[in-house]
Amino acid sequence: RKEVEQDPGPFNVPEGATVAFNCTYSNSASQSFFWYRQDCRKEPKLLMSVYSSGNEDGRFTAQLNRASQYISLLIRDSKLSDSATYLCAVNTGDMRFGAGTRLTVKP
Amino acid sequence: EADIYQTPRYLVIGTGKKITLECSQTMGHDKMYWYQQDPGMELHLIHYSYGVNSTEKGDLSSESTVSRIRTEHFPLTLESARPSHTSQYLCASGNYGYTFGSGTRLTVV
């Protein structure tokens, strides 16, 4: 079993849609959690950290459920520029990344 | 402006050649990492370092080696490149969330 598993995707949504990604992790001792965005043929870039209380950054909301060992990312009012691969990452001492979920936002 | 730098950005090299991929960061991070990623595939940790003179192998078996003589510098070396080494190599640093370099896209012919 992989340490970090994500929705397989791909997600194809129209502009303005709300889309949610889920990610589960296996190590209950995981210490910190993140969402990264990776554009095609580019490096991953940190999108946001994920806290137990949930956190929001504009149209993006991240949630952590330690009891169920999953994290989520909600994107509201999708833009064309949101098209990318979204990676969840779990720090257990070293960062472990999910395989990523590809999002395409269409006009 | 990038605080972690990788060179070269692209490299095409013949089989059997020795190559070194450079990675430097100006953020003073103790922890540095090398990941390998094939197109459209997931990141695989191949090496990491928690500080000067500390290096460890990651999850993915790799024929590469690394060194950490200075905090800011974490080069990766392939003694004898093979076509199976063709991939993108990403360096990262950070003690909490990671910052990635732009990567080196390596092609071995």
Side-chain angles (χ1 to χ4, degrees), chain A residues 41-97:
Chain A
R41 302 179 75 83
K42 299 279 190 179
E43 74 275 20
K45 293 190 175 178
L46 181 63
L47 181 65
M48 58 197 303
S49 303
V50 188
Y51 304 114
S52 297
S53 54
N55 47 300
E56 190 173 305
D57 183 1
R59 297 181 292 108
F60 298 82
T61 301
Q63 297 272 356
L64 166 64
N65 185 320
R66 284 189 182 271
S68 302
Q69 294 183 204
Y70 80 80
I71 64 175
S72 63
L73 178 68
L74 183 78
I75 305 175
R76 291 183 299 279
D77 189 23
S78 301
K79 311 291 184 192
L80 296 176
S81 58
D82 293 335
S83 297
T85 296
Y86 290 83
L87 309 172
C88 68
V90 175
N91 197 328
T92 57
D94 300 308
M95 202 76 80
R96 296 289 186 251
F97 289 85

Side-chain angles (χ1 to χ4, degrees), chain A residues 22-35:
Chain A
N22 291 321
C23 172
T24 58
Y25 60 94
S26 59
N27 189 336
S28 60
S30 300
Q31 302 157 3
S32 49
F33 309 87
F34 307 89
W35 283 101

Side-chain angles (χ1 to χ4, degrees), chain B residues 39-88:
Chain B
M41 304 298 285
E42 61 194 284
L43 290 157
H44 292 285
L45 180 66
I46 52 174
H47 294 284
Y48 60 97
S49 168
Y50 286 166
V52 171
N53 295 325
S54 153
T55 61
E56 300 288 344
K57 286 188 178 290
D59 301 327
L60 184 67
S61 175
S62 173
E63 292 158 349
S64 57
T65 58
V66 291
S67 62
R68 191 87 182 276
I69 298 173
R70 302 196 317 266
T71 298
E72 63 271 23
H73 193 214
F74 190 40
L76 181 145
T77 298
L78 278 166
E79 290 293 333
S80 179
R82 294 208 296 268
S84 60
H85 295 139
T86 294
S87 190
Q88 176 165 252

